[in-house]
mmCIF file of all heavy atoms in Angstrom:
data_model
loop_
_atom_site.group_PDB
_atom_site.id
_atom_site.type_symbol
_atom_site.label_atom_id
_atom_site.label_comp_id
_atom_site.label_asym_id
_atom_site.label_seq_id
_atom_site.Cartn_x
_atom_site.Cartn_y
_atom_site.Cartn_z
ATOM 1 N N THR A 78 13.913 16.848 11.153
ATOM 2 C CA THR A 78 14.740 15.948 12.011
ATOM 3 C C THR A 78 14.386 14.509 11.834
ATOM 4 O O THR A 78 13.979 13.750 12.763
ATOM 5 C CB THR A 78 14.744 16.311 13.516
ATOM 6 O OG1 THR A 78 13.256 16.457 13.905
ATOM 7 C CG2 THR A 78 15.378 17.669 13.789
ATOM 8 N N TRP A 87 17.457 10.487 8.724
ATOM 9 C CA TRP A 87 16.783 10.316 7.355
ATOM 10 C C TRP A 87 16.453 11.548 6.789
ATOM 11 O O TRP A 87 15.721 12.361 7.427
ATOM 12 C CB TRP A 87 15.426 9.439 7.667
ATOM 13 C CG TRP A 87 14.786 9.256 6.310
ATOM 14 C CD1 TRP A 87 13.754 9.887 5.841
ATOM 15 C CD2 TRP A 87 15.146 8.186 5.287
ATOM 16 N NE1 TRP A 87 13.393 9.377 4.570
ATOM 17 C CE2 TRP A 87 14.266 8.401 4.230
ATOM 18 C CE3 TRP A 87 16.161 7.238 5.250
ATOM 19 C CZ2 TRP A 87 14.354 7.568 3.097
ATOM 20 C CZ3 TRP A 87 16.209 6.441 4.074
ATOM 21 C CH2 TRP A 87 15.284 6.624 3.049
ATOM 22 N N PRO A 135 16.237 -5.651 6.762
ATOM 23 C CA PRO A 135 14.985 -6.209 7.046
ATOM 24 C C PRO A 135 13.763 -5.388 6.333
ATOM 25 O O PRO A 135 12.809 -5.984 6.037
ATOM 26 C CB PRO A 135 14.773 -5.858 8.582
ATOM 27 C CG PRO A 135 15.785 -4.723 8.782
ATOM 28 C CD PRO A 135 16.820 -4.841 7.851
ATOM 29 N N ILE A 140 15.606 0.213 -5.610
ATOM 30 C CA ILE A 140 15.521 0.089 -7.152
ATOM 31 C C ILE A 140 16.868 0.083 -7.654
ATOM 32 O O ILE A 140 17.605 0.950 -7.454
ATOM 33 C CB ILE A 140 14.756 1.222 -7.681
ATOM 34 C CG1 ILE A 140 13.247 1.384 -7.077
ATOM 35 C CG2 ILE A 140 14.579 1.070 -9.301
ATOM 36 C CD1 ILE A 140 12.426 2.507 -7.671
ATOM 37 N N GLY A 141 17.190 -0.968 -8.437
ATOM 38 C CA GLY A 141 18.537 -1.111 -8.950
ATOM 39 C C GLY A 141 19.606 -1.019 -7.968
ATOM 40 O O GLY A 141 20.575 -0.329 -8.191
ATOM 41 N N ILE A 194 6.334 11.660 -10.519
ATOM 42 C CA ILE A 194 5.232 10.786 -9.996
ATOM 43 C C ILE A 194 4.322 11.567 -9.039
ATOM 44 O O ILE A 194 4.753 12.508 -8.337
ATOM 45 C CB ILE A 194 5.902 9.694 -9.033
ATOM 46 C CG1 ILE A 194 6.886 8.886 -9.999
ATOM 47 C CG2 ILE A 194 4.966 8.881 -8.302
ATOM 48 C CD1 ILE A 194 6.159 8.030 -11.034
#
Side-chain angles (χ1 to χ4, degrees):
T78 51
W87 180 260
I140 299 180
I194 298 297

